[in-house]
């Protein structure tokens, strides 16, 4: 972090406003701030912060003023480097930023008050001008609201008149953040330090992360997604650095020995949360596109090493895929993507300047796993889909953020499949999102995709909407709709929707209208809004219960808490097949029990519903049909579609967790895995059995469970053994995933040949100290198993490699492996390291603690640790912390501790996660008490021989 951070005395005393005009490429004016505002008769600078009795009703801006254009000047005073020289006084790092903004707006309702947002800023010098008459309006007061509204209230002596156009000038200053929000500092090393105390290799950059409500921390603005405007931005920065913004560079010039300015062309009309800029010493490479100038920026060392080449190879192709699919060109002339050493989200879709964590954009040949390309491609595809869904067309309010995130997730399936067809990962992505959404949406504390606007008011409310429901459920219900109306019709409707609402805001009804138009033009009869409103406006999802002896079928909301009552019902499209018939579509259109001929097993054949998992629901059958399906899985599983082989396991386990079926049915659904080599069924089984592990790895159930899993995985492990022992991987991506699954299950459950393999490979690396022959695909799982099997020597070797490595992928694999040790004192040491940002970056703190919490030895340690250090560790992803640390909670004592935590700590954005954890803990307590003995007896019986 910055050394000796302080406010520069020079710039604190006098603030420079630069009004710059370029004539024939020459800067003609630089005007001091005091000179500029002396013409405007400003009011005296107010005391900061002052208070007010309260905002207008609700926490939303009035609609009386509509912003149209911002002119923003920002000057981060940050140095890119502090070089220590003998007998020379080095400057202290400064975290000050200064600036001014002029917002031009239209008045639609007479008012004498201007409300906009500002937070953590010193704001002064307000000046209001009537653009139509060129008259100044006198400001009587300026007040900061200290509640959650973040309102800046400016009272005028005269009213703004409807139909007139005005401008508001404000000067401001603030502190560059060190906790990854708004305008913040990020650090990295360029080259290796000469010694432990050498800081000359340390580099600093300033960057932004605004979503959802942090633009107000950088400059005063109308900070709501519906308040779209054009932005004209000028950044004043150190001469050694370059500035990037949302739009293309329009001009840059040197101001003096220290400073230069960079000015950008006007942005498209966009929401404030997409505003972005960076100031750094990063270097780019180009990505090919026939019209758009695409550049990938990273640390110079990463660029020189070729780590941005893979992203450059696919970015232009993904952008072109979307342009062809949507039949709307990307509207800007440039697109920058930048790999940041520090960023809280995985990536952010800022229009024209997409930011990424380094691990989400950089691919290191020979170090990164081959499967890491899948992650990079899917993240880039997600962010580029946002350039249309979210940026070009934006939700009216955060309660429908799924229109942005759900679409970006759904469209990324197709983009990755187009640019990397050999990955064959569309089904994998779909199943992952389906199961992720199922898990969260089976709790009573879930929320609808489209929550009522009045329920989503504060920043905390908004942040809580960024969850698996919004991303994964959003994508899956769109896929379900596309399946019902047909992918061609769905795509036609979305193209019309995008074209109709370019640069505007929408709600889900607008989407339904245009897909309905496409359905009508195609001669279809699906009533889109009627069907889809049940999936987006209602919480949860149904379990469909089918009796194949008489064809009776009914639906009920699925909840892990089986005692919860619900009268909800959905319009359910059910694709059904049997071993004697092709797939057909059947609708369930009421909450009553009905009979459907398609669900009758006439000659003892099995019936399978939700073919290829096109619907967002789970299915329960009568016992006879379950037995037929499980027998088919054990005898000839390939008659059942691959996705459904995984889904049958998932449904059985979910139904058992809700106590709708006996838990032995779920366990029996894993018997076929002994002879199964495909990834999806194994992934589903391992993910579901992980819940059993969490509930029982501190009990006597765990030994027999491990013995059973050793037996089941042995065939899969041997299938890959020749590859694994020679540190090789199969060509097929799906099999590469399953090779890792085989090693993880085999080693973690004590299969001797696996443990020995991991121990030996890691020891060979330790002995050579530099030559690592472990295949990059296998490093993460082998590092973890070797550290778990080892002691201090193995852990400290990994820690030293973690500290010294400059390779992002290697550091991530080691960071995870360090959490695998079974030595409590080493885990305590690792936890203490998370408090030092020089050792563990703030953005990695939550995931590091989550890794440790996954380790049965570390679970209790992490619970004590996060309570002791909540203010610091919750600055990252507090929800992830709570979810991970409480995942084993299944006793009354743990529940009481969690409830005490909820009542005594300031939970902030983690509030929703805490109350979900309380609900899940209650479910766990009841489930364990009712199933423990049955499960123990089942595993003992299966491993008795």
């Amino acid at each position: 972090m910055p050394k000796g951070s302080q406010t520069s005395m020079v710039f604190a005393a006098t603030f420079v406003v630069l009004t710059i005009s370029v004539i024939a490429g020459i800067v003609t004016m630089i005007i001091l701030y005091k000179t500029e505002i002396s013409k405007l008769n400003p009011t005296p600078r107010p005391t900061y912060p002052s208070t007010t009795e309260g905002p207008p009703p609700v926490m939303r801006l009035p609609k009386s003023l509509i912003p149209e254009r911002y002119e923003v000047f920002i000057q981060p005073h940050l140095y890119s480097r502090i070089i220590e020289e003998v007998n020379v006084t080095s400057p202290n790092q400064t975290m000050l930023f200064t600036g001014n903004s002029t917002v031009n707006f239209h008045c639609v309702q007479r008012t004498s008050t201007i409300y906009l947002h500002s937070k953590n800023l010193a704001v002064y010098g307000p000046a209001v001008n009537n653009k139509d008459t060129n008259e100044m309006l006198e400001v009587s007061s300026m007040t900061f609201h200290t509640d959650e509204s973040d309102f800046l209230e400016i009272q005028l002596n005269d009213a703004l008149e409807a139909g007139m156009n005005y401008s508001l000038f404000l000067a401001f200053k603030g502190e560059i953040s060190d906790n990854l929000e708004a305008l913040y500092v990020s650090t990295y090393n360029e080259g290796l330090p000469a010694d432990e105390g050498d800081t000359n290799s340390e580099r600093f950059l300033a960057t932004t992360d605004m979503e959802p409500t942090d633009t107000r921390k950088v400059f005063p603005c109308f900070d709501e997604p519906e308040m779209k405007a054009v932005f004209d931005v000028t950044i004043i920065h150190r001469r050694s650095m370059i500035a990037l913004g949302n739009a293309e560079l329009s001009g840059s010039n040197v101001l003096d020995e220290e400073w230069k300015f960079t000015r950008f062309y006007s942005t498209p009309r966009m929401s404030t949360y997409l505003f972005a800029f960076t100031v750094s010493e990063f270097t780019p490479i180009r990505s090919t596109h026939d019209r758009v100038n695409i550049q990938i920026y990273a640390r110079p060392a990463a660029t020189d090493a070729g780590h941005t080449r893979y992203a450059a190879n696919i970015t232009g192709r993904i952008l072109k895929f979307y342009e062809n699919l949507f039949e709307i060109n990307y509207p800007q002339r440039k697109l920058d993507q930048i790999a940041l050493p520090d960023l809280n989200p995985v990536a952010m879709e800022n229009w024209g300047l997409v930011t990424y964590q380094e691990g989400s954009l950089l691919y290191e040949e020979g170090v990164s796993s081959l499967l890491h390309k899948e992650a990079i491609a899917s993240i880039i595809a997600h962010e580029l889909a946002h350039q249309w869904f979210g940026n070009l067309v934006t939700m009216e309010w955060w309660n429908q953020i799924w229109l942005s995130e759900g679409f970006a997730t759904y469209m990324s399936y197709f983009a990755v499949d187009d640019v990397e067809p050999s990955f064959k990962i569309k089904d994998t992505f779909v199943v992952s999102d389906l199961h992720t959404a199922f898990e969260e949406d089976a709790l009573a504390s879930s929320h609808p995709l489209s929550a009522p606007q009045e329920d989503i008011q504060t920043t905390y409310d908004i942040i809580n909407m960024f969850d698996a429901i919004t991303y994964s459920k959003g994508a899956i219900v769109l896929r379900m709709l596309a399946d019902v109306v047909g992918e061609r019709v769905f795509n036609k409707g979305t193209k019309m929707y995008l074209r109709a609402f370019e640069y505007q805001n929408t709600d889900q009804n607008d989407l339904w209208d245009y897909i309905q138009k496409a359905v009508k033009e195609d001669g279809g009869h699906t009533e889109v809004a009627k069907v889809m409103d049940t999936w987006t406006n209602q919480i949860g999802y149904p379990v469909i219960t089918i009796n194949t002896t008489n064809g009776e079928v009914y639906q009920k909301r699925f909840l892990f808490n089986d005692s919860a009552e619900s009268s909800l019902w959905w319009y359910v499209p059910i694709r059904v097949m049997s071993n004697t018939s092709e797939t057909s579509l059947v609708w369930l259109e009421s909450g009553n029990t009905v009979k459907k001929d398609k669900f009758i097993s006439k000659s003892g054949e099995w019936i399978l519903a939700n073919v290829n998992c096109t619907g967002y629901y789970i299915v329960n059958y009568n016992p006879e049909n379950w037995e037929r399906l499980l027998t088919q899985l054990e005898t000839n599983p390939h008659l059942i579609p691959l996705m459904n082989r995984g889904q049958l396991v998932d449904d059985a386990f979910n139904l058992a967790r809700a106590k709708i079926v006996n838990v032995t049915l779920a366990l029996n659904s894993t018997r076929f895995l002994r002879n199964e080599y495909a990834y999806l069924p194994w992934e589903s089984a391992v993910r579901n059995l992980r819940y059993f592990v969490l509930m029982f790895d501190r009990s006597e159930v765990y030994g027999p469970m491990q013995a059973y899993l050793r037996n089941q995985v042995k065939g899969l492990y041997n299938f890959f053994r020749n590859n694994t022992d020679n540190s090789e991987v199969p060509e097929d991506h799906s099999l590469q995933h399953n090779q890792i699954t085989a090693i993880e299950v085999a080693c973690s459950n004590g299969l001797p040949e696996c443990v020995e393999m991991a121990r030996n490979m890691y020891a060979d690396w330790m002995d050579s100290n530099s030559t690592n022959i472990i295949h990059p695909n296998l490093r993460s799982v082998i590092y973890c198993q070797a550290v778990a099997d080892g002691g201090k020597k193995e852990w400290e070797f990994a820690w030293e490699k973690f500290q010294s490595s400059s390779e992002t992928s290697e550091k991530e694999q080691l960071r995870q492996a360090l959490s695998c040790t079974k030595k409590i004192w080493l885990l305590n040491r690792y936890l203490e390291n998370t408090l030092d940002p020089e050792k563990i970056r703030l953005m990695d703190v939550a995931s590091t603690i989550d890794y440790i919490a996954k380790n049965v030895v570390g679970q209790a340690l992490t619970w004590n640790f996060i309570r002791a250090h909540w203010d610091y560790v919750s600055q990252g992803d507090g929800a992830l912390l709570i979810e991970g640390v409480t995942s084993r909670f299944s006793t009354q004592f743990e529940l009481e501790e969690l409830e005490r935590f909820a009542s005594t700590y300031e939970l902030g954005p983690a509030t929703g996660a805490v109350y979900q954890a309380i609900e899940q803990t209650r479910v766990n307590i009841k489930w364990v008490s009712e199933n423990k003995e049955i499960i123990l007896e089942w595993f003992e019986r299966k491993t008795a021989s």
Side-chain angles (χ1 to χ4, degrees):
M1 301 306 294
K3 181 183 65 171
S5 177
Q6 66 177 40
T7 301
S8 166
M9 296 303 294
V10 175
F11 290 101
T14 61
F15 167 62
V16 179
V17 172
L18 300 175
T19 304
I20 305 169
S21 300
V22 177
I23 301 176
I26 301 174
V27 176
T28 59
M29 282 197 302
I30 305 172
I31 303 176
L32 289 173
Y33 162 68
K34 290 182 178 179
T35 304
E36 176 69 16
I37 67 168
S38 67
K39 307 171 186 175
L40 305 176
N41 191 27
T43 57
R45 181 171 173 172
T47 303
Y48 173 78
S50 57
T51 61
T52 186
E53 291 182 0
V58 252
M59 310 284 280
R60 298 285 298 279
L61 291 173
K63 299 293 179 68
S64 50
L65 306 176
I66 307 298
E68 294 179 340
R69 180 179 293 269
Y70 293 86
E71 298 161 31
V72 183
F73 291 77
I74 299 177
Q75 183 174 15
H77 293 243
L78 189 79
Y79 291 95
S80 65
R81 57 181 80 181
I82 306 293
I83 303 298
E84 305 282 355
E85 298 183 52
V86 179
N87 298 324
V88 176
T89 302
S90 299
N92 287 319
Q93 184 60 281
T94 173
M95 302 291 278
L96 172 73
F97 72 89
T98 51
N100 71 83
S101 64
T102 301
V103 56
N104 300 280
F105 57 87
H106 182 70
C107 179
V108 296
Q109 183 178 350
R110 191 175 189 269
T111 181
S112 58
T113 307
I114 301 173
Y115 284 102
L116 65 165
H117 293 103
S118 179
K119 187 174 185 180
N120 300 342
L121 293 173
V123 182
Y124 46 96
V128 180
N129 181 40
N130 185 320
K131 302 287 285 185
D132 298 326
T133 65
N134 203 29
E135 294 176 332
M136 302 302 298
L137 282 76
E138 189 173 346
V139 175
S140 60
S141 67
M142 186 165 69
T143 310
F144 295 86
H145 292 237
T146 56
D147 59 15
E148 292 180 303
S149 70
D150 299 332
F151 284 165
L152 171 58
E153 178 185 340
I154 299 172
Q155 291 286 348
L156 307 174
N157 287 339
D158 298 306
L160 304 172
E161 299 294 340
M164 302 291 279
N165 298 294
Y166 300 87
S167 68
L168 168 65
F169 171 91
L170 292 166
F172 54 84
K173 68 177 180 179
E175 290 288 318
I176 299 172
S177 170
D178 59 3
N179 62 355
L180 312 187
E181 64 179 19
L183 175 57
Y184 67 93
V185 64
S186 177
T187 63
Y188 63 97
N189 286 307
E190 194 69 20
L192 295 174
D195 52 62
E196 188 174 336
D198 177 28
T199 61
N200 287 350
S201 65
E202 191 170 23
R203 300 290 182 267
F204 303 89
L205 65 101
T207 186
T208 58
D209 185 46
M210 306 301 200
E211 190 179 32
T213 59
D214 278 353
T215 311
R216 64 192 66 174
K217 297 178 182 178
V218 178
F219 61 95
C221 56
F222 295 84
D223 200 10
E224 294 186 0
E226 198 173 5
M227 299 288 193
K228 288 190 171 185
V230 171
F231 295 81
D232 294 311
V233 180
T234 301
I235 306 296
I236 300 101
H237 54 91
R238 305 282 177 185
R239 287 179 58 177
S240 63
M241 306 171 88
I242 63 164
L244 303 175
N246 294 100
E248 192 176 20
L249 175 73
S250 70
S252 182
N253 214 330
V254 172
L255 299 174
D256 56 32
E257 290 183 355
E258 269 197 277
W259 299 99
K260 68 185 293 187
F261 76 85
T262 299
R263 187 170 56 212
F264 303 95
Y265 284 108
S266 299
T267 69
R269 187 170 178 269
M270 68 182 196
S271 302
T272 49
Y273 77 88
L274 297 170
F275 181 92
F277 71 91
T278 65
V279 179
S280 72
E281 294 182 345
F282 281 16
T283 54
I285 67 169
R286 294 283 299 275
S287 178
T288 303
H289 189 278
D290 59 2
R291 188 179 44 81
V292 181
N293 179 21
I294 302 174
Q295 299 202 88
I296 316 295
Y297 284 84
R299 294 175 284 110
T303 302
D304 293 344
H307 297 165
T308 53
R309 284 181 197 149
Y310 180 68
N313 178 45
I314 63 173
T315 296
R317 292 156 56 204
I318 292 174
L319 194 70
K320 178 57 67 175
F321 170 80
Y322 285 138
E323 289 182 324
N324 293 336
L325 179 63
F326 305 140
E327 297 178 1
I328 298 173
N329 281 342
Y330 172 77
Q332 296 208 69
R333 290 180 293 185
K334 74 97 176 180
L335 171 64
D336 295 329
Q337 299 195 111
I338 185 167
L340 296 171
D342 301 282
L343 181 66
N344 200 25
V346 169
M348 177 58 205
E349 66 267 18
N350 317 296
W351 212 347
L353 176 57
V354 185
T355 52
Y356 297 83
Q357 291 181 5
E358 284 194 333
S360 301
L361 197 66
L362 304 184
Y363 183 82
E364 296 142 276
E365 203 69 49
V367 177
S368 299
S369 162
L370 297 176
L371 299 175
H372 190 51
K373 288 184 176 181
E374 293 179 8
I376 292 172
S378 66
I379 293 166
I380 292 175
H382 183 101
E383 302 311 318
L384 295 193
H386 272 310
Q387 307 303 301
W388 287 265
F389 292 98
N391 299 9
L392 184 67
V393 178
T394 312
M395 69 283 155
E396 288 180 357
W397 184 242
W398 298 104
N399 65 311
Q400 294 196 8
I401 184 61
W402 80 271
L403 288 172
S404 173
E405 298 298 351
F407 254 113
T409 303
Y410 175 69
M411 291 299 173
S412 68
Y413 303 158
F414 301 95
V416 176
D417 204 45
D418 181 77
V419 299
E420 294 286 14
S422 66
F423 290 179
K424 301 176 184 175
I425 54 173
K426 192 190 298 184
D427 289 353
T428 305
F429 283 177
V430 168
V431 170
S432 175
D433 280 317
L434 184 65
H435 295 163
T436 301
F438 276 166
E439 182 87 10
E440 194 159 315
D441 216 11
L443 296 172
S445 51
S446 183
H447 64 83
L449 272 175
S450 291
Q453 278 203 28
E454 58 269 20
D455 290 353
I456 311 299
Q457 293 291 315
T458 68
T459 293
Y460 289 164
D461 295 335
I462 295 165
I463 291 172
N464 283 330
M465 290 296 290
F466 287 80
D467 61 6
I469 304 300
T470 291
Y471 287 76
S472 298
K473 180 178 179 178
I476 293 301
V477 298
L478 288 171
R479 178 174 177 264
M480 181 169 63
L481 175 57
D483 178 69
V484 168
V485 302
E487 200 171 287
R488 179 183 55 80
V489 173
F490 178 84
N491 288 340
K492 180 180 179 181
T494 55
K495 282 185 278 192
M496 292 192 294
Y497 163 79
L498 288 172
R499 180 66 70 188
F501 294 103
E502 289 179 313
Y503 308 106
Q504 298 178 57
N505 297 80
T506 65
D507 68 16
Q508 66 179 20
N509 293 323
D510 299 312
L511 177 64
W512 306 153
D513 287 346
Y514 278 89
I515 294 180
Q516 189 68 65
K517 286 182 181 179
V519 169
K520 186 177 180 181
E521 290 176 9
D522 194 59
H525 303 287
T526 304
E527 296 179 73
V528 175
K530 185 176 80 170
V531 170
M532 295 307 296
D533 282 349
T534 64
W535 296 97
T536 58
N537 295 342
Q538 295 183 157
I539 193 172
Y541 60 93
V543 50
I544 310 301
T545 300
I546 299 172
N547 187 330
T548 63
T549 60
N550 58 16
E552 287 185 350
V553 56
Y554 66 90
Q555 61 172 293
K556 179 186 176 184
R557 183 185 173 191
F558 179 80
L559 288 162
F560 286 143
N561 180 2
D562 65 330
S563 62
E565 291 296 324
S566 174
S567 60
L568 298 178
W569 63 273
W570 292 257
Y571 287 97
V572 186
I574 305 173
R575 294 215 176 266
V576 60
M577 65 173 286
S578 75
N579 50 330
T580 60
S581 65
E582 296 297 319
T583 303
S584 58
L585 179 63
V586 177
W587 281 94
L588 184 56
E589 299 177 302
S590 79
N592 302 319
T593 299
V594 296
K595 287 191 175 184
K596 300 284 185 179
D597 186 63
K598 290 286 186 182
F599 295 139
I600 298 176
S601 175
K602 298 179 178 65
S603 304
E605 71 274 20
W606 49 256
I607 303 292
L608 178 70
N610 201 12
V611 177
N612 289 323
C613 308
T614 53
Y616 183 63
Y617 50 86
I618 65 175
V619 185
N620 186 25
Y621 305 97
N622 54 303
E624 296 84 359
N625 197 63
W626 268 117
E627 189 56 40
R628 293 181 194 120
L629 287 167
L630 296 188
T631 300
Q632 186 69 70
L633 286 176
E634 291 191 73
T635 54
N636 187 5
H638 299 285
L639 290 181
I640 295 176
L642 177 60
M643 293 179 77
N644 289 101
R645 304 212 298 270
Q647 192 59 37
L648 283 169
V649 175
D650 198 64
D651 283 356
F653 273 87
N654 279 327
L655 291 164
R657 284 179 65 178
K659 296 175 283 294
I660 295 172
V661 301
N662 193 295
V663 69
T664 58
L665 173 66
L667 293 170
N668 286 336
S669 75
T670 67
R671 293 181 314 211
F672 80 102
L673 294 174
R674 184 187 292 262
N675 301 308
E676 176 66 80
Y677 303 113
Y679 173 62
L680 287 181
W682 267 101
E683 187 279 332
S684 181
V686 170
R687 181 173 31 76
N688 280 288
L689 284 166
R690 192 168 292 130
Y691 178 72
F692 282 56
V693 172
L694 291 171
M695 293 302 98
F696 298 122
D697 63 1
R698 298 176 290 175
S699 78
E700 68 274 24
V701 176
Y702 194 48
M705 185 191 305
Q706 285 189 301
Y708 174 75
L709 291 173
R710 281 197 298 272
N711 290 336
Q712 292 301 96
V713 79
K714 191 164 188 176
L716 186 68
Y717 183 79
N718 287 335
F719 179 77
F720 294 109
R721 187 166 183 180
N722 188 54
N723 280 329
T724 302
D725 288 349
N726 290 292
S727 199
E728 297 171 350
V729 300
E731 289 187 17
D732 182 86
H733 269 244
S734 177
L735 289 178
Q736 287 179 30
H737 279 291
N738 223 21
Q739 181 185 24
I740 295 169
T741 297
I743 297 170
E744 183 178 8
V745 175
C747 280
S748 64
N749 288 289
L751 190 69
E753 50 266 47
C754 182
V755 175
E756 184 181 6
M757 175 276 300
R759 184 192 301 130
N760 291 342
M761 283 194 179
Y762 193 81
D764 288 345
W765 183 30
M766 290 177 66
D767 291 343
S768 70
N769 197 31
S770 57
T771 305
N772 186 352
I773 64 166
I774 304 172
H775 192 282
N777 274 32
L778 308 181
R779 287 181 183 178
S780 182
V781 64
I782 289 177
Y783 292 175
C784 177
Q785 300 306 327
V787 169
D789 182 61
K792 177 184 177 183
K793 179 182 177 183
E794 287 76 14
W795 193 90
E796 290 196 331
F797 177 80
W799 176 250
E800 187 278 325
K801 290 294 183 183
F802 171 76
Q803 288 184 300
S804 62
S805 177
S806 61
E807 295 165 328
T808 305
S809 294
E810 184 73 350
K811 287 182 77 74
E812 176 58 29
Q813 291 165 336
L814 288 163
R815 185 168 66 87
Q816 187 169 356
L818 287 161
S819 70
C820 299
T821 180
K822 301 304 180 185
K823 308 297 183 186
I824 292 176
W825 69 274
L826 287 172
L827 290 177
N828 264 325
R829 176 175 157 190
Y830 196 23
L831 283 169
E832 290 297 323
N833 288 345
T834 66
L835 300 177
D836 183 352
E838 296 291 334
K839 294 177 178 176
I840 304 291
R841 290 181 180 272
L842 179 58
M843 73 174 186
D844 292 329
V845 167
S847 58
T848 301
I849 296 172
D850 179 58
Y851 291 152
I852 297 170
K854 285 182 169 66
N855 183 339
V856 63
V857 179
Q859 187 269 322
L861 303 178
T862 56
W863 177 226
N864 291 331
F865 185 80
I866 69 166
R867 287 181 291 175
H869 304 285
W870 179 250
D871 286 348
Y872 180 76
V873 299
S874 63
Q875 289 181 83
D877 191 341
L880 175 67
L881 282 176
I882 295 300
E883 183 182 345
V885 171
T886 65
S887 60
R888 281 185 177 83
F889 282 14
S890 54
T891 67
Q892 187 61 34
F893 177 71
E894 289 167 330
L895 174 62
E896 290 169 2
E897 282 200 320
L898 184 54
E899 289 174 331
R900 194 176 303 116
F901 175 78
S903 63
T904 56
Y905 283 72
E906 179 60 49
L907 303 177
T911 300
V914 170
Y915 286 98
Q916 282 191 333
I918 290 172
E919 181 187 353
Q920 184 64 62
T921 301
R922 290 183 180 132
V923 170
N924 294 347
I925 291 169
K926 187 177 180 185
W927 188 84
V928 168
S929 68
E930 293 176 352
N931 290 285
K932 180 179 177 181
E933 294 306 318
I934 300 170
I935 292 168
L936 175 60
E937 190 275 333
W938 191 92
F939 280 122
E940 286 179 335
R941 183 160 37 85
K942 292 297 179 183
T943 55
S945 56

